[in-house]
Amino acid sequence: AFGEEVALLVDGVTKLTKIQFSNIEELQAENLRKMLLAMSRDDRTPVGIVGVADTFSFFRGIIHKVEQFFGLLALKIRCLSHQ
């Protein structure tokens, strides 16, 4: 009912749960490998990658602004405390 693509993804995830990994890094690397493999078969992947990259860039910009804000706030507090 869901199609061959979903069946492949479910099959891959099911097989992943049966593998024993020695540490979390191996598990994460295997999960990433499986996700990239599944994405390589999907025609929508370039759109998804652009969306993820755009979101990542947006959050990096916000983090930079927050860092600037707290830096200025700390400077103002320091100046007020020395008056």
Side-chain angles (χ1 to χ4, degrees), residues 62-78:
I62 286 179
I63 289 170
H64 180 68
K65 298 284 185 196
V66 169
E67 288 172 346
Q68 282 181 334
F69 170 77
F70 280 111
L72 287 172
L73 183 62
L75 182 63
K76 288 181 179 184
I77 290 171
R78 193 176 327 148

Side-chain angles (χ1 to χ4, degrees), residues 2 7 14 17 22-23 28 31 33-35 37-39 41-42 47 49 55 59 61-64 67 69 78 80-81:
F2 289 108
T14 303
T17 59
S22 62
N23 58 42
Q28 290 173 341
N31 285 340
R33 188 184 75 76
K34 290 283 187 179
M35 183 181 69
L37 184 62
M39 288 173 59
R41 297 181 182 138
D42 189 347
V47 175
I49 291 173
T55 302
F59 280 112
I62 286 179
I63 289 170
H64 180 68
E67 288 172 346
F69 170 77
R78 193 176 327 148
L80 288 174
S81 66

